[in-house]
Amino acid sequence: MGGVGEPGPREGPAQPGAPLPTFCWEQIRAHDQPGDKWLVIERRVYDISRWAQRHPGGSRLIGHHGAEDATDAFRAFHQDLNFVRKFLQPLLIGELAPEEPSQDGPLNAQLVEDFRALHQAAEDMKLFDASPTFFAFLLGHILAMEVLAWLLIYLLGPGWVPSALAAFILAISQAQSWCLQHDLGHASIFKKSWWNHVAQKFVMGQLKGFSAHWWNFRHFQHHAKPNIFHKDPDVTVAPVFLLGESSVEEVAWRAAVSSRRLSPQYGKKKRRYLPYNQQHLYFFLIGPPLLTLVNFEVENLAYMLVCMQWADLLWAASFYARFFLSYLPFYGVPGVLLFFVAVRVLESHWFVWITQMNHIPKEIGHEKHRDWVSSQLAATCNVEPSLFTNWFSGHLNFQIEHHLFPRMPRHNYSRVAPLVKSLCAKHGLSYEVKPFLTALVDIVRSLKKSGDIWLDAYLHQ
């Protein structure tokens, strides 16, 4: 393979007992192409080009860290590091040269070191240990709401008032199920990953009608590269919405190119795309009401069929069978469909406002190859805690702590928060905490700001 500065031909994995070839970052940076991916973990260099397709978290997730130091992401996503290292061993091709820094680029090495010390302190404080009572209560109150909604219709009949109340209760139950499956997806409840996966399939499939694999495929990418275009599915929403200034500039550039290629009159029509200067208004029509009902339903079903996730499809089918058989005797087919839509629309409002209040108002743009801490803090903010906010948001108001420690049980976020705050103060990083209503309003403000920037670019192109 050659020494530092000598790329040499590609060889197989390093042989046990043989001296490891050494690489410099200049060599490693060349291996961030489709079908040619290297990454660095704990100063060791791995060729994941062929193995990425078998990565349990998906090839995109691990591929997003191509030619980077993925040490902190590796530690953040995996429970049993020694177990996972066994799978990495056949992929080992070398290590960083002794004179090379652990991370490429102008990164704050002291911040990286301090965060890893903080991570170890959190482990020593047992903050990664879940409370069985806490999560048993969460599951219990979700099931209780499901039963209560059905009893309302059974005892009071399918009138407008009991139906509206039952739909509201079911929407809360569905929202809390999102939070519980989210905990399970991050393996933050059970010590064994297998139990987390099985429980997530039950909650996501039987209680919600969605695929656990589909959710993890999307959500882990979001955690790996939050608010990064083409890497975080949550912000890759063009051309319907434009988020951040980079998205605006890209659409304006493509519109200008399109208008030059076409006739002047046709190009003038094409380059508008949508009236993005009004996106903060049409957001209320197609954002919160329809995300779960339309986009998630279609994307989820397509994923299960294309990826042949038959087990997830059966779990999802069990949800629809239970829901429709439970309410069909009261409403008939048209009525139960309307009832289902009402629940999904209410749930969708919760999902959009709660999940996006911590992200859309933050920095959104293209890859900047930051360290783990800086990248997570640039894309997240917190919302002031209270008993209601903590419960209602599934503790996602502690978004900073959740992104830094995705495997940490949510009931421990408040305990690690002062340590994170001190780390931010030491390194001059923003630790932003907002009132709940301000965080919601900031979503609309951010959409309006991006729309205004687009309008200015459109008028001056």
Side-chain angles (χ1 to χ4, degrees), residues 39-70:
L39 56 77
V40 178
I41 297 175
E42 297 166 339
R43 294 191 62 84
R44 295 200 156 196
V45 182
Y46 299 91
D47 183 349
I48 62 167
S49 305
R50 298 178 181 177
W51 182 80
Q53 295 295 332
R54 301 198 300 273
H55 180 236
S59 60
R60 290 189 186 180
L61 172 63
I62 195 169
H64 289 339
H65 293 283
E68 293 182 2
D69 175 45

mmCIF file of all heavy atoms in Angstrom, residues 39-70:
data_model
loop_
_atom_site.group_PDB
_atom_site.id
_atom_site.type_symbol
_atom_site.label_atom_id
_atom_site.label_comp_id
_atom_site.label_asym_id
_atom_site.label_seq_id
_atom_site.Cartn_x
_atom_site.Cartn_y
_atom_site.Cartn_z
ATOM 1 N N LEU A 39 -12.722 5.377 5.814
ATOM 2 C CA LEU A 39 -12.972 6.247 6.956
ATOM 3 C C LEU A 39 -11.993 5.902 8.069
ATOM 4 O O LEU A 39 -11.353 4.842 8.074
ATOM 5 C CB LEU A 39 -14.419 6.181 7.423
ATOM 6 C CG LEU A 39 -15.065 4.848 7.810
ATOM 7 C CD1 LEU A 39 -14.625 4.398 9.193
ATOM 8 C CD2 LEU A 39 -16.575 5.001 7.805
ATOM 9 N N VAL A 40 -11.895 6.826 9.025
ATOM 10 C CA VAL A 40 -10.948 6.689 10.126
ATOM 11 C C VAL A 40 -11.716 6.592 11.435
ATOM 12 O O VAL A 40 -12.609 7.411 11.709
ATOM 13 C CB VAL A 40 -9.981 7.896 10.170
ATOM 14 C CG1 VAL A 40 -9.028 7.773 11.351
ATOM 15 C CG2 VAL A 40 -9.206 8.009 8.859
ATOM 16 N N ILE A 41 -11.387 5.571 12.207
ATOM 17 C CA ILE A 41 -11.962 5.408 13.547
ATOM 18 C C ILE A 41 -10.825 5.105 14.505
ATOM 19 O O ILE A 41 -10.073 4.142 14.304
ATOM 20 C CB ILE A 41 -12.997 4.267 13.585
ATOM 21 C CG1 ILE A 41 -14.181 4.584 12.666
ATOM 22 C CG2 ILE A 41 -13.490 4.035 15.011
ATOM 23 C CD1 ILE A 41 -15.194 3.457 12.552
ATOM 24 N N GLU A 42 -10.702 5.950 15.521
ATOM 25 C CA GLU A 42 -9.662 5.772 16.540
ATOM 26 C C GLU A 42 -8.280 5.630 15.895
ATOM 27 O O GLU A 42 -7.503 4.745 16.231
ATOM 28 C CB GLU A 42 -10.010 4.567 17.424
ATOM 29 C CG GLU A 42 -11.307 4.764 18.193
ATOM 30 C CD GLU A 42 -11.850 3.486 18.810
ATOM 31 O OE1 GLU A 42 -11.472 2.374 18.342
ATOM 32 O OE2 GLU A 42 -12.655 3.578 19.750
ATOM 33 N N ARG A 43 -8.031 6.492 14.900
ATOM 34 C CA ARG A 43 -6.762 6.600 14.167
ATOM 35 C C ARG A 43 -6.486 5.389 13.268
ATOM 36 O O ARG A 43 -5.423 5.308 12.660
ATOM 37 C CB ARG A 43 -5.573 6.826 15.121
ATOM 38 C CG ARG A 43 -5.634 8.171 15.851
ATOM 39 C CD ARG A 43 -4.335 8.464 16.567
ATOM 40 N NE ARG A 43 -3.208 8.576 15.650
ATOM 41 C CZ ARG A 43 -2.877 9.691 14.994
ATOM 42 N NH1 ARG A 43 -3.606 10.792 15.129
ATOM 43 N NH2 ARG A 43 -1.814 9.708 14.181
ATOM 44 N N ARG A 44 -7.412 4.495 13.138
ATOM 45 C CA ARG A 44 -7.237 3.369 12.230
ATOM 46 C C ARG A 44 -8.046 3.607 10.957
ATOM 47 O O ARG A 44 -9.151 4.153 11.003
ATOM 48 C CB ARG A 44 -7.652 2.054 12.894
ATOM 49 C CG ARG A 44 -6.744 1.696 14.071
ATOM 50 C CD ARG A 44 -6.817 0.237 14.426
ATOM 51 N NE ARG A 44 -5.605 -0.189 15.118
ATOM 52 C CZ ARG A 44 -5.257 -1.462 15.286
ATOM 53 N NH1 ARG A 44 -6.025 -2.421 14.798
ATOM 54 N NH2 ARG A 44 -4.152 -1.770 15.923
ATOM 55 N N VAL A 45 -7.489 3.182 9.828
ATOM 56 C CA VAL A 45 -8.087 3.446 8.518
ATOM 57 C C VAL A 45 -8.781 2.179 8.030
ATOM 58 O O VAL A 45 -8.190 1.095 8.009
ATOM 59 C CB VAL A 45 -7.018 3.897 7.500
ATOM 60 C CG1 VAL A 45 -7.669 4.225 6.163
ATOM 61 C CG2 VAL A 45 -6.245 5.097 8.038
ATOM 62 N N TYR A 46 -10.053 2.331 7.625
ATOM 63 C CA TYR A 46 -10.847 1.193 7.160
ATOM 64 C C TYR A 46 -11.354 1.453 5.744
ATOM 65 O O TYR A 46 -11.779 2.571 5.417
ATOM 66 C CB TYR A 46 -12.042 0.960 8.090
ATOM 67 C CG TYR A 46 -11.649 0.631 9.512
ATOM 68 C CD1 TYR A 46 -11.494 1.638 10.460
ATOM 69 C CD2 TYR A 46 -11.419 -0.683 9.897
ATOM 70 C CE1 TYR A 46 -11.131 1.349 11.761
ATOM 71 C CE2 TYR A 46 -11.056 -0.992 11.215
ATOM 72 C CZ TYR A 46 -10.906 0.033 12.140
ATOM 73 O OH TYR A 46 -10.542 -0.260 13.420
ATOM 74 N N ASP A 47 -11.320 0.408 4.928
ATOM 75 C CA ASP A 47 -11.883 0.466 3.582
ATOM 76 C C ASP A 47 -13.279 -0.158 3.647
ATOM 77 O O ASP A 47 -13.426 -1.379 3.764
ATOM 78 C CB ASP A 47 -10.998 -0.307 2.601
ATOM 79 C CG ASP A 47 -11.494 -0.218 1.164
ATOM 80 O OD1 ASP A 47 -12.630 0.266 0.963
ATOM 81 O OD2 ASP A 47 -10.755 -0.616 0.258
ATOM 82 N N ILE A 48 -14.306 0.678 3.584
ATOM 83 C CA ILE A 48 -15.680 0.191 3.712
ATOM 84 C C ILE A 48 -16.382 0.120 2.362
ATOM 85 O O ILE A 48 -17.603 -0.035 2.299
ATOM 86 C CB ILE A 48 -16.477 1.103 4.664
ATOM 87 C CG1 ILE A 48 -16.555 2.524 4.096
ATOM 88 C CG2 ILE A 48 -15.878 1.093 6.063
ATOM 89 C CD1 ILE A 48 -17.572 3.408 4.791
ATOM 90 N N SER A 49 -15.631 0.216 1.275
ATOM 91 C CA SER A 49 -16.218 0.329 -0.063
ATOM 92 C C SER A 49 -17.218 -0.783 -0.350
ATOM 93 O O SER A 49 -18.337 -0.527 -0.810
ATOM 94 C CB SER A 49 -15.117 0.310 -1.124
ATOM 95 O OG SER A 49 -14.151 1.312 -0.879
ATOM 96 N N ARG A 50 -16.850 -2.019 -0.120
ATOM 97 C CA ARG A 50 -17.722 -3.151 -0.439
ATOM 98 C C ARG A 50 -18.658 -3.492 0.710
ATOM 99 O O ARG A 50 -19.785 -3.941 0.498
ATOM 100 C CB ARG A 50 -16.876 -4.370 -0.800
ATOM 101 C CG ARG A 50 -16.003 -4.161 -2.030
ATOM 102 C CD ARG A 50 -15.157 -5.389 -2.308
ATOM 103 N NE ARG A 50 -14.292 -5.195 -3.471
ATOM 104 C CZ ARG A 50 -13.417 -6.096 -3.890
ATOM 105 N NH1 ARG A 50 -13.282 -7.256 -3.253
ATOM 106 N NH2 ARG A 50 -12.662 -5.829 -4.947
ATOM 107 N N TRP A 51 -18.208 -3.254 1.940
ATOM 108 C CA TRP A 51 -18.988 -3.661 3.107
ATOM 109 C C TRP A 51 -20.134 -2.703 3.412
ATOM 110 O O TRP A 51 -21.107 -3.080 4.078
ATOM 111 C CB TRP A 51 -18.070 -3.762 4.324
ATOM 112 C CG TRP A 51 -18.775 -4.210 5.564
ATOM 113 C CD1 TRP A 51 -19.113 -5.487 5.906
ATOM 114 C CD2 TRP A 51 -19.252 -3.374 6.631
ATOM 115 N NE1 TRP A 51 -19.759 -5.507 7.120
ATOM 116 C CE2 TRP A 51 -19.852 -4.215 7.582
ATOM 117 C CE3 TRP A 51 -19.213 -2.000 6.856
ATOM 118 C CZ2 TRP A 51 -20.417 -3.727 8.755
ATOM 119 C CZ3 TRP A 51 -19.781 -1.510 8.024
ATOM 120 C CH2 TRP A 51 -20.374 -2.367 8.973
ATOM 121 N N ALA A 52 -20.062 -1.461 2.921
ATOM 122 C CA ALA A 52 -21.044 -0.439 3.280
ATOM 123 C C ALA A 52 -22.478 -0.897 3.006
ATOM 124 O O ALA A 52 -23.400 -0.563 3.759
ATOM 125 C CB ALA A 52 -20.755 0.865 2.537
ATOM 126 N N GLN A 53 -22.682 -1.664 1.929
ATOM 127 C CA GLN A 53 -24.026 -2.127 1.609
ATOM 128 C C GLN A 53 -24.582 -3.076 2.663
ATOM 129 O O GLN A 53 -25.800 -3.232 2.781
ATOM 130 C CB GLN A 53 -24.023 -2.818 0.235
ATOM 131 C CG GLN A 53 -23.706 -1.895 -0.926
ATOM 132 C CD GLN A 53 -24.764 -0.825 -1.127
ATOM 133 O OE1 GLN A 53 -25.936 -1.029 -0.803
ATOM 134 N NE2 GLN A 53 -24.364 0.321 -1.658
ATOM 135 N N ARG A 54 -23.694 -3.698 3.451
ATOM 136 C CA ARG A 54 -24.150 -4.620 4.498
ATOM 137 C C ARG A 54 -24.208 -3.947 5.868
ATOM 138 O O ARG A 54 -24.555 -4.604 6.861
ATOM 139 C CB ARG A 54 -23.215 -5.837 4.555
ATOM 140 C CG ARG A 54 -23.134 -6.610 3.258
ATOM 141 C CD ARG A 54 -22.568 -8.014 3.466
ATOM 142 N NE ARG A 54 -21.229 -7.991 4.021
ATOM 143 C CZ ARG A 54 -20.111 -7.905 3.311
ATOM 144 N NH1 ARG A 54 -20.196 -7.808 1.988
ATOM 145 N NH2 ARG A 54 -18.937 -7.909 3.872
ATOM 146 N N HIS A 55 -23.864 -2.681 5.932
ATOM 147 C CA HIS A 55 -23.885 -1.966 7.207
ATOM 148 C C HIS A 55 -25.311 -1.944 7.763
ATOM 149 O O HIS A 55 -26.249 -1.534 7.059
ATOM 150 C CB HIS A 55 -23.387 -0.532 7.002
ATOM 151 C CG HIS A 55 -23.377 0.283 8.253
ATOM 152 N ND1 HIS A 55 -24.054 1.477 8.352
ATOM 153 C CD2 HIS A 55 -22.788 0.079 9.457
ATOM 154 C CE1 HIS A 55 -23.872 1.984 9.565
ATOM 155 N NE2 HIS A 55 -23.115 1.149 10.246
ATOM 156 N N PRO A 56 -25.536 -2.400 8.999
ATOM 157 C CA PRO A 56 -26.898 -2.472 9.555
ATOM 158 C C PRO A 56 -27.629 -1.135 9.544
ATOM 159 O O PRO A 56 -28.850 -1.102 9.431
ATOM 160 C CB PRO A 56 -26.657 -2.963 10.993
ATOM 161 C CG PRO A 56 -25.366 -3.706 10.928
ATOM 162 C CD PRO A 56 -24.537 -2.968 9.916
ATOM 163 N N GLY A 57 -26.896 -0.030 9.661
ATOM 164 C CA GLY A 57 -27.530 1.275 9.644
ATOM 165 C C GLY A 57 -27.734 1.832 8.249
ATOM 166 O O GLY A 57 -28.278 2.934 8.092
ATOM 167 N N GLY A 58 -27.327 1.089 7.233
ATOM 168 C CA GLY A 58 -27.483 1.545 5.857
ATOM 169 C C GLY A 58 -26.190 2.095 5.289
ATOM 170 O O GLY A 58 -25.355 2.645 6.006
ATOM 171 N N SER A 59 -26.019 1.944 3.988
ATOM 172 C CA SER A 59 -24.785 2.387 3.339
ATOM 173 C C SER A 59 -24.651 3.903 3.333
ATOM 174 O O SER A 59 -23.548 4.442 3.392
ATOM 175 C CB SER A 59 -24.735 1.863 1.893
ATOM 176 O OG SER A 59 -25.826 2.350 1.142
ATOM 177 N N ARG A 60 -25.778 4.617 3.278
ATOM 178 C CA ARG A 60 -25.701 6.070 3.257
ATOM 179 C C ARG A 60 -25.171 6.613 4.571
ATOM 180 O O ARG A 60 -24.363 7.544 4.585
ATOM 181 C CB ARG A 60 -27.077 6.670 2.974
ATOM 182 C CG ARG A 60 -27.566 6.439 1.554
ATOM 183 C CD ARG A 60 -28.823 7.248 1.287
ATOM 184 N NE ARG A 60 -29.391 6.955 -0.013
ATOM 185 C CZ ARG A 60 -30.480 7.527 -0.493
ATOM 186 N NH1 ARG A 60 -31.122 8.433 0.246
ATOM 187 N NH2 ARG A 60 -30.936 7.199 -1.684
ATOM 188 N N LEU A 61 -25.646 6.049 5.660
ATOM 189 C CA LEU A 61 -25.228 6.533 6.982
ATOM 190 C C LEU A 61 -23.718 6.460 7.139
ATOM 191 O O LEU A 61 -23.064 7.453 7.468
ATOM 192 C CB LEU A 61 -25.914 5.717 8.082
ATOM 193 C CG LEU A 61 -25.438 5.985 9.515
ATOM 194 C CD1 LEU A 61 -25.719 7.421 9.915
ATOM 195 C CD2 LEU A 61 -26.090 5.020 10.480
ATOM 196 N N ILE A 62 -23.141 5.302 6.885
ATOM 197 C CA ILE A 62 -21.702 5.160 7.060
ATOM 198 C C ILE A 62 -20.953 5.878 5.937
ATOM 199 O O ILE A 62 -19.864 6.431 6.146
ATOM 200 C CB ILE A 62 -21.311 3.666 7.133
ATOM 201 C CG1 ILE A 62 -19.879 3.518 7.671
ATOM 202 C CG2 ILE A 62 -21.494 2.972 5.796
ATOM 203 C CD1 ILE A 62 -19.516 2.090 8.023
ATOM 204 N N GLY A 63 -21.554 5.929 4.752
ATOM 205 C CA GLY A 63 -20.914 6.609 3.630
ATOM 206 C C GLY A 63 -20.812 8.112 3.805
ATOM 207 O O GLY A 63 -19.908 8.743 3.253
ATOM 208 N N HIS A 64 -21.712 8.701 4.595
ATOM 209 C CA HIS A 64 -21.660 10.145 4.837
ATOM 210 C C HIS A 64 -20.382 10.556 5.572
ATOM 211 O O HIS A 64 -20.036 11.735 5.599
ATOM 212 C CB HIS A 64 -22.873 10.592 5.653
ATOM 213 C CG HIS A 64 -24.170 10.542 4.880
ATOM 214 N ND1 HIS A 64 -24.210 10.553 3.507
ATOM 215 C CD2 HIS A 64 -25.463 10.497 5.300
ATOM 216 C CE1 HIS A 64 -25.480 10.498 3.114
ATOM 217 N NE2 HIS A 64 -26.250 10.468 4.182
ATOM 218 N N HIS A 65 -19.717 9.592 6.191
ATOM 219 C CA HIS A 65 -18.482 9.892 6.915
ATOM 220 C C HIS A 65 -17.244 9.512 6.104
ATOM 221 O O HIS A 65 -16.153 9.408 6.660
ATOM 222 C CB HIS A 65 -18.465 9.154 8.258
ATOM 223 C CG HIS A 65 -19.507 9.632 9.222
ATOM 224 N ND1 HIS A 65 -19.376 10.795 9.932
ATOM 225 C CD2 HIS A 65 -20.702 9.107 9.567
ATOM 226 C CE1 HIS A 65 -20.447 10.976 10.687
ATOM 227 N NE2 HIS A 65 -21.259 9.961 10.488
ATOM 228 N N GLY A 66 -17.420 9.304 4.804
ATOM 229 C CA GLY A 66 -16.295 8.925 3.972
ATOM 230 C C GLY A 66 -15.147 9.916 4.053
ATOM 231 O O GLY A 66 -15.350 11.131 4.031
ATOM 232 N N ALA A 67 -13.910 9.397 4.180
ATOM 233 C CA ALA A 67 -12.680 10.194 4.241
ATOM 234 C C ALA A 67 -12.662 11.136 5.444
ATOM 235 O O ALA A 67 -12.001 12.176 5.413
ATOM 236 C CB ALA A 67 -12.479 10.979 2.946
ATOM 237 N N GLU A 68 -13.385 10.774 6.506
ATOM 238 C CA GLU A 68 -13.413 11.583 7.725
ATOM 239 C C GLU A 68 -13.013 10.742 8.925
ATOM 240 O O GLU A 68 -12.986 9.506 8.876
ATOM 241 C CB GLU A 68 -14.828 12.129 7.982
ATOM 242 C CG GLU A 68 -15.326 13.138 6.981
ATOM 243 C CD GLU A 68 -16.709 13.639 7.368
ATOM 244 O OE1 GLU A 68 -17.235 13.212 8.424
ATOM 245 O OE2 GLU A 68 -17.256 14.462 6.620
ATOM 246 N N ASP A 69 -12.742 11.445 10.021
ATOM 247 C CA ASP A 69 -12.605 10.770 11.310
ATOM 248 C C ASP A 69 -14.009 10.553 11.863
ATOM 249 O O ASP A 69 -14.704 11.514 12.195
ATOM 250 C CB ASP A 69 -11.782 11.606 12.283
ATOM 251 C CG ASP A 69 -11.728 10.963 13.666
ATOM 252 O OD1 ASP A 69 -11.510 9.741 13.735
ATOM 253 O OD2 ASP A 69 -11.926 11.679 14.666
ATOM 254 N N ALA A 70 -14.438 9.300 11.941
ATOM 255 C CA ALA A 70 -15.792 8.963 12.376
ATOM 256 C C ALA A 70 -15.811 8.420 13.800
ATOM 257 O O ALA A 70 -16.776 7.768 14.196
ATOM 258 C CB ALA A 70 -16.396 7.939 11.419
#
